Amino acid sequence: MNPSNGKGSVSMASSSGGWKAGDVVLDQFPAGLRVLVVDDDPTCLVILEKMLRACLYEVTKCNRAEIALSQLRENKNGFDIVISDVHMPDMDGFKLLEHIGLEMDLPVIMMSADDGKNVVMKGVTHGACDYLIKPVRIEALKNIWQHVVRKRKNEWKDLEHSGSMEDGDRQQKPSEDVDYSSSANEGNWKGSKKRKDEDEETEERDDSSTLKKPRVVWSVELHQQFVAAVNQLGIDKAVPKKILELMNVPGLTRENVASHLQKYRLYLRRLSGVSQHHSSLNNSFVSNQEAAFGAMSSLNGLDLQTFAVTGQLPAQSLATLQAAGLGRSTTKTGIPMPLVDQRNLFSFENPKSRYGEGQQQQHLSSSKPVNLLHGIPTTMEPKQLAALHHSTPSLGGMSIQVNTRGGQSNSLLMQMPQPQSREQILNESTGSHVPRLPSPIGQPIMSNGIAGGVIGRNGIGDSGRGTLYSHVPPTSSMVSFPLNHPTELASNSFPLGSTPRISNVTSKGPFQEEVNAEIKGSAGFMPSYDIFNELHQHKSQDWELQDLQFNASQNANPVEGNLDVSPSVLVHPGYSSSQRIGQNRTASAIGRTIYSGIEGTEQGNTQIIGQNLNNLLADNPVRVKAERIPDSCNQTTLFPGHFGQEDLMSALLKQQPGGIGSTETEFDFDGYSMDNIPV
Amino acid sequence: MEVGQMQRRLADYTKSLFMEGILDAQFLQLQQLQDESNPDFVVEVSSLFFEDSEKLLNDIARALDQQSVDFKRVDAHVHQLKGSSASVGAQRVKNACVAFRNFCEEQNVEGCVRCLQQVKQEYCLVKNKLETLFRLEQQIVAAGGSVVPMTELGF
């Protein structure tokens, strides 16, 4: 092809662009699209630049992520889309992705010569809108404009929704957060999920494309103002409206704040949970609570778990709660669920058994982990968590939700991707409480200890909690708490008191942070054994998918150790949920599954988590003492693997008096905005 | 030799490189990107590739020479080399890198050293071939002819 041909084809591409006629605002769109390319390989950088120029885009190239970030910050609104390499020496591509998502909200495309499923998954969970495998062909670059349009469309929709919600729904939902978050979530979700629908609405397309809503660029200063406002209000009380008022920035809308809040929560979760490299359980369904669900990926999983665990809420109940509260969550979970199912799903069978035993031990030994949970006051760990990190919107929303829900095992529930229905419910229910639920379950991944702690907090006495874990996905044969048996998360032992552990956990390792965060949230999470189990099970790979809140990114796997969370709650003695928790799933109900999952999943994670837990537990694998499990019913309920939502709900509700107390009452999903879970 | 002959020789030579798997379709993409506004694009990119690769190969050799080999580091370098060789179409180099990474994962020093030799060989090969190719192109242009990139791998 001689150059002219190439050009010709290029121009054709740009002009025809498959662009729906009506939608094109700018005649030449996508020509002129402002692209920023970041890659440390000079050869690739030059080639990409040339290709993008051939597509008639405006290209800026950088070979350092830091430089790219500063360029983006200086030129707010100066770029439409960013393409970044995954492996870079100065900063991990995923980290850059997060930053951009948080601060500038631009679509980001990842690329790498690495086409391993894990890495691609990580891209997805961290919010990349696409992933290209090197060598990149020019054909692949010709269509990147679609991401820009899609994003704008979603933003526009969000705006629309928020607006209407504002007017009409004030009364409907008590918490504004929910409104906004949901709308925001919906918007985001839409992007991911209902792409088709949106696409079909040409009209909207027109608007979105033509509209070009002035995108709010979250500069460092603005972001700091935001963070200050959030901290002032308290992460759990931080609703967009109030934040907006505090910030007092002219031209800033509540919608802007709401979507940013979601991201922030996910980010926090992620931070607290695990370093990014861990399974980007971005699914951090940082539910409204934002409970520490900052770190999307790992955090989410963990958070939920912890919450779940501590939440003592039967996963199911959590899910239901969440579902109820969130409403949306179902949808959300829907997405992650499929993924999660594979992983985690609480192979309750295993964890249960473990759980029982582990719990006790964990409880005992890991008094610390339990503390973690305790640390996460049922009331709302989210605050703490939030403080820890930016809660990144949980992908699955599930995990987060669980946690927020008052730390009930909801989070756990959420995490349990497997029983999708269940989990969803859990997520939903837990959503609000998620933060609360120490979701040890979620944590399982993170640190077994945490889970334990979390669970413990919830006054593990929640027999009902155990039910939460019912989701133990059969797939995860987590029961074998291989690592530390996170399941030992001592659901038994955790009786709510364990929450304090959670806090401990946080201090430990990355996961710990997440765990802590999560635990914090999940005051009464059921032992996130499940989560842990799940974590184990799904080694990083799955977990990432499982946004289920199991932030327990693989790192979290250590959960085993962390499963201090009174697994009892989550775990049925049989749960090796702790094992599952490898992933950062919100241990809550899910915890059980988590445990199983965790075990299955990376050992490494469990280790990490375990470490945390260990620290807490004093190196005792979280043993969920089966005996401890106060409620045999928990076990039964939990393990059956299919806890009727009703069961969970009731379990959860019953637990209220326990440490969970507040958490349960907090099942006001409304408050939890489902963060946009970039999927 | 007249232009027509030279052009034929170039075409045959290029084809042979593809047949031998030394270059792949990605190289064609690069050639297609070349145009009047950037007539030396392929040569420039290739030079960049050579420079970068040599540096990487040296880094890898040094890393493997250490008492305690940091496989992560080696793997990172190999990964980068894999990416850049894939981007320019140096297929055999890329394949050698893929094999290399497996040994890195296994943390097998001997295997890695062997792979490094392999990669180096392939790299030298593609470098020589490309330099010859560019020389041929230069000759044609100097003789007043034009170089038309292959539009497809016709074999």
Side-chain angles (χ1 to χ4, degrees):
Chain A
M1 278 45 86
N2 49 39
S4 52
N5 286 351
K7 278 228 181 104
S9 55
V10 170
S11 47
M12 273 184 39
S14 54
S15 55
S16 61
W19 197 219
K20 307 225 170 117
D23 305 347
V24 180
V25 177
L26 308 175
D27 290 342
Q28 326 115 324
F29 188 88
L33 195 73
R34 296 158 305 172
V35 185
L36 177 67
V37 180
V38 190
D39 193 338
D40 63 319
D41 183 344
T43 314
C44 294
L45 201 57
V46 164
I47 295 176
L48 277 168
E49 185 193 19
K50 190 77 175 76
M51 286 182 174
L52 289 165
R53 289 249 159 84
C55 295
L56 302 186
Y57 297 149
E58 261 184 45
V59 188
T60 307
K61 63 180 197 287
C62 331
N63 61 354
R64 284 262 174 274
E66 295 291 353
I67 298 178
L69 261 182
S70 59
Q71 284 229 310
L72 285 167
R73 287 177 182 144
E74 282 167 30
N75 300 325
K76 324 216 163 136
N77 282 334
F79 296 100
D80 296 310
I81 189 167
V82 179
I83 301 181
S84 169
D85 187 31
V86 167
H87 300 277
M88 290 190 287
D90 62 336
M91 187 195 287
D92 184 32
F94 295 120
K95 196 128 177 264
L96 177 65
L97 170 60
E98 273 183 12
H99 278 297
I100 296 177
L102 257 181
E103 297 179 33
M104 292 110 205
D105 194 25
L106 285 176
V108 182
I109 295 179
M110 300 304 294
M111 64 176 173
S112 176
D114 197 345
D115 59 352
K117 179 176 150 214
N118 291 349
V119 189
V120 179
M121 179 62 76
K122 229 176 151 184
V124 171
T125 52
H126 276 73
C129 59
D130 204 352
Y131 191 103
L132 304 176
I133 309 283
K134 284 182 182 173
V136 178
R137 292 175 66 86
I138 195 171
E139 290 79 22
L141 296 176
K142 284 193 187 143
N143 292 329
I144 61 175
W145 54 263
Q146 63 172 296
H147 302 293
V148 177
V149 173
R150 188 175 297 117
K151 199 148 188 138
R152 283 199 202 138
K153 195 177 177 18
N154 291 342
E155 283 175 3
W156 182 77
K157 268 188 189 273
D158 286 351
L159 204 59
E160 285 260 303
H161 287 267
S162 323
S164 54
M165 283 193 74
E166 275 184 23
D167 302 337
D169 300 4
R170 289 272 177 123
Q171 288 91 40
Q172 294 174 11
K173 291 188 167 192
S175 102
E176 289 179 348
D177 271 1
V178 177
D179 292 348
Y180 290 116
S181 50
S182 37
S183 51
N185 282 337
E186 280 176 44
N188 294 340
W189 271 19
K190 280 205 222 156
S192 53
K193 298 191 315 179
K194 306 179 193 167
R195 213 178 305 195
K196 290 220 167 139
D197 301 337
E198 294 174 344
D199 288 354
E200 293 167 69
E201 300 168 80
T202 24
E203 185 148 354
E204 281 186 284
R205 276 266 215 106
D206 284 343
D207 291 337
S208 50
S209 54
T210 55
L211 203 63
K212 283 212 176 185
K213 296 185 329 204
R215 184 188 309 131
V216 170
V217 176
W218 284 88
S219 67
V220 178
E221 304 79 38
L222 196 62
H223 182 67
Q224 279 176 5
Q225 272 180 286
F226 168 82
V227 174
V230 167
N231 290 338
Q232 197 174 324
L233 291 168
I235 194 73
D236 52 331
K237 286 227 178 337
V239 295
K241 180 162 190 280
K242 298 211 182 109
I243 297 174
L244 186 66
E245 285 165 12
L246 272 180
M247 285 175 72
N248 195 21
V249 171
L252 195 66
T253 66
R254 201 175 1 182
E255 295 73 32
N256 298 139
V257 175
S259 64
H260 192 72
L261 184 65
Q262 274 184 347
K263 294 196 190 110
Y264 182 70
R265 285 194 182 129
L266 277 176
Y267 172 66
L268 284 183
R269 192 125 37 102
R270 205 183 337 203
L271 282 188
S272 71
V274 180
S275 49
Q276 291 190 345
H277 57 96
H278 283 300
S279 55
S280 46
L281 284 178
N282 278 326
N283 28 58
S284 48
F285 303 101
V286 175
S287 43
N288 317 329
Q289 300 262 339
E290 27 186 35
F293 295 108
M296 299 242 324
S297 42
S298 51
L299 286 180
N300 292 332
L302 288 176
D303 288 336
L304 291 177
Q305 295 188 344
T306 36
F307 288 105
V309 174
T310 51
Q312 303 196 353
L313 286 177
Q316 297 185 345
S317 15
L318 284 178
T320 43
L321 287 177
Q322 295 223 335
L326 297 176
R328 299 182 291 209
S329 40
T330 38
T331 45
K332 287 208 195 161
T333 52
I335 306 184
M337 296 290 290
L339 296 180
V340 172
D341 288 332
Q342 301 161 8
R343 304 225 246 178
N344 22 178
L345 309 196
F346 312 104
S347 36
F348 288 95
E349 293 94 40
N350 296 332
K352 292 198 191 174
S353 51
R354 305 273 182 130
Y355 192 82
E357 312 163 340
Q359 294 184 347
Q360 307 217 335
Q361 300 203 357
Q362 292 185 350
H363 196 57
L364 301 177
S365 53
S366 57
S367 51
K368 290 217 226 145
V370 175
N371 291 335
L372 290 178
L373 292 176
H374 291 299
I376 305 184
T378 53
T379 48
M380 291 303 306
E381 306 322 276
K383 288 191 214 169
Q384 302 183 9
L385 292 177
L388 290 183
H389 36 245
H390 299 279
S391 49
T392 50
S394 48
L395 294 182
M398 301 208 321
S399 52
I400 303 188
Q401 305 207 338
V402 170
N403 289 337
T404 51
R405 293 298 172 152
Q408 298 273 348
S409 40
N410 290 332
S411 48
L412 290 177
L413 293 176
M414 302 224 334
Q415 306 209 335
M416 308 212 287
Q418 285 288 328
Q420 302 217 345
S421 51
R422 242 10 117 83
E423 296 180 325
Q424 299 195 353
I425 304 182
L426 289 178
N427 292 332
E428 315 256 50
S429 53
T430 49
S432 49
H433 295 277
V434 172
R436 312 246 318 188
L437 292 178
S439 60
I441 307 188
Q443 301 284 340
I445 308 184
M446 304 220 325
S447 49
N448 297 334
I450 304 181
V454 172
I455 303 181
R457 285 204 333 145
N458 297 321
I460 317 216
D462 305 324
S463 47
R465 309 278 173 90
T467 52
L468 286 179
Y469 297 105
S470 57
H471 284 298
V472 177
T475 56
S476 51
S477 48
M478 311 201 281
V479 185
S480 51
F481 300 94
L483 301 183
N484 298 312
H485 299 304
T487 48
E488 302 213 286
L489 289 181
S491 47
N492 305 322
S493 49
F494 304 106
L496 309 177
S498 46
T499 42
R501 296 219 208 157
I502 304 184
S503 40
N504 295 337
V505 175
T506 44
S507 49
K508 307 219 179 198
F511 278 109
Q512 303 207 329
E513 290 178 356
E514 289 189 324
V515 173
N516 288 335
E518 299 188 338
I519 300 187
K520 292 200 188 166
S522 52
F525 292 108
M526 304 240 318
S528 49
Y529 292 106
D530 297 326
I531 304 184
F532 285 110
N533 288 329
E534 291 191 305
L535 290 177
H536 284 311
Q537 302 249 336
H538 301 283
K539 285 243 187 157
S540 54
Q541 311 157 8
D542 301 327
W543 291 111
E544 305 206 332
L545 286 181
Q546 312 206 336
D547 292 340
L548 289 185
Q549 308 171 352
F550 288 103
N551 283 323
S553 44
Q554 316 220 316
N555 297 331
N557 284 328
V559 176
E560 292 194 323
N562 298 332
L563 291 176
D564 278 333
V565 179
S566 47
S568 59
V569 178
L570 297 175
V571 173
H572 297 296
Y575 292 116
S576 49
S577 50
S578 50
Q579 312 197 344
R580 294 281 291 249
I581 307 195
Q583 310 262 343
N584 295 323
R585 307 283 171 152
T586 44
S588 45
I590 308 188
R592 273 201 301 189
T593 45
I594 301 184
Y595 281 108
S596 34
I598 304 189
E599 298 219 315
T601 44
E602 317 181 316
Q603 303 253 328
N605 291 344
T606 46
Q607 308 223 329
I608 302 180
I609 304 185
Q611 289 174 10
N612 294 335
L613 285 176
N614 284 336
N615 294 323
L616 300 174
L617 299 176
D619 293 327
N620 287 328
V622 181
R623 310 277 199 116
V624 178
K625 302 211 180 193
E627 313 134 38
R628 291 297 240 7
I629 305 182
D631 313 298
S632 48
C633 50
N634 292 347
Q635 305 178 353
T636 45
T637 43
L638 290 177
F639 290 108
H642 293 284
F643 298 104
Q645 301 188 350
E646 302 68 39
D647 296 343
L648 287 175
M649 287 298 291
S650 49
L652 282 172
L653 296 174
K654 276 192 220 157
Q655 309 205 340
Q656 307 200 344
I660 315 190
S662 49
T663 54
E664 300 205 315
T665 52
E666 298 209 353
F667 289 111
D668 50 335
F669 295 97
D670 299 346
Y672 300 93
S673 52
M674 297 275 296
D675 296 318
N676 298 326
I677 298 181
V679 174
Chain B
M1 188 184 298
E2 44 139 359
V3 174
Q5 262 182 304
M6 288 196 283
Q7 283 172 329
R8 267 193 303 280
R9 199 165 64 146
L10 174 63
D12 289 340
Y13 188 70
T14 309
K15 277 224 181 89
S16 72
L17 295 185
F18 285 109
M19 301 275 269
E20 292 171 34
I22 297 176
L23 293 179
D24 64 20
Q26 186 66 16
F27 188 74
L28 286 183
Q29 290 243 320
L30 296 191
Q31 287 188 316
Q32 289 170 35
L33 284 174
Q34 184 163 289
D35 55 26
E36 297 85 31
S37 71
N38 204 338
D40 296 318
F41 178 68
V42 183
V43 175
E44 283 170 10
V45 172
S46 302
S47 310
L48 257 181
F49 170 65
F50 296 151
E51 260 179 53
D52 200 34
S53 304
E54 270 153 41
K55 201 154 51 82
L56 282 170
L57 287 170
N58 284 340
D59 287 346
I60 295 173
R62 249 202 311 278
L64 283 176
D65 218 10
Q66 304 294 315
Q67 276 286 30
S68 133
V69 178
D70 182 352
F71 286 100
K72 272 204 161 35
R73 200 180 155 79
V74 173
D75 186 70
H77 287 318
V78 176
H79 175 77
Q80 170 142 345
L81 184 59
K82 175 184 166 195
S84 54
S85 57
S87 299
V88 300
Q91 187 175 273
R92 299 235 288 238
V93 177
K94 181 193 77 175
N95 291 342
C97 287
V98 173
F100 197 150
R101 289 193 86 196
N102 289 336
F103 282 103
C104 284
E105 264 185 52
E106 296 171 16
Q107 309 224 335
N108 180 341
V109 179
E110 275 176 27
C112 285
V113 171
R114 269 202 305 276
C115 277
L116 177 62
Q117 288 315 311
Q118 186 78 14
V119 173
K120 269 190 177 157
Q121 260 179 326
E122 295 296 348
Y123 166 73
C124 290
L125 182 64
V126 75
K127 179 166 185 216
N128 288 338
K129 297 285 186 181
L130 282 178
E131 282 173 347
T132 305
L133 190 101
F134 298 146
R135 242 194 330 272
L136 286 176
E137 286 183 348
Q138 275 166 17
Q139 286 169 5
I140 293 174
V141 172
S146 64
V147 176
V148 177
M150 284 173 58
T151 53
E152 62 193 20
L153 294 177
F155 56 112

